[in-house]
Amino acid sequence: MKAIGLIHTGCGSDRAEDEQAIRDVVIQRGYDFAGLLTVTPHTYMPTTLIVHTAAQHNATVIVAPSIDHFGAAAHAVALACVLATPSITVPCTVGRAH
């Protein structure tokens, strides 16, 4: 499965630790890593950007350091992709061709 990483800078966590958490999940679960997306509190339409970026990379999984990095987008993004963090995996609730 192809995955992209997601970091939301508004979560106030350490960037290096966030990137390491994403790398660890990617390696542990055997995902094919397709890149990293960073959003900020000022990102225009972050939900659309996250889903669009995943589609551009043919990614079916979005990996973040914690569910907090998805913010209000979590439910909407789960309609298109699996959400993966070190402690939880949220399956895609609608599904898509894999």
Side-chain angles (χ1 to χ4, degrees):
M1 296 175 90
K2 218 174 231 192
I4 61 168
L6 173 67
I7 293 177
H8 191 297
T9 62
C11 288
S13 43
D14 181 89
R15 175 70 184 230
E17 287 179 13
D18 288 346
E19 288 183 16
Q20 186 60 53
I22 290 169
R23 281 192 297 274
D24 291 346
V25 170
V26 167
I27 290 167
Q28 290 168 358
R29 300 186 189 172
Y31 297 141
D32 178 17
F33 190 61
L36 181 67
L37 173 64
T38 301
V39 295
T40 74
H42 305 290
T43 298
Y44 180 69
M45 296 176 52
T47 304
T48 302
L49 178 62
I50 295 165
V51 173
H52 177 73
T53 302
Q56 280 185 312
H57 293 284
N58 295 316
T60 56
V61 180
I62 301 173
V63 181
S66 72
I67 201 73
D68 295 337
H69 286 259
F70 291 99
H75 293 291
V77 174
L79 293 172
C81 298
V82 172
L83 312 183
T85 73
S87 61
I88 189 171
T89 300
V90 177
C92 180
T93 55
V94 170
R96 86 185 215 200
H98 299 281

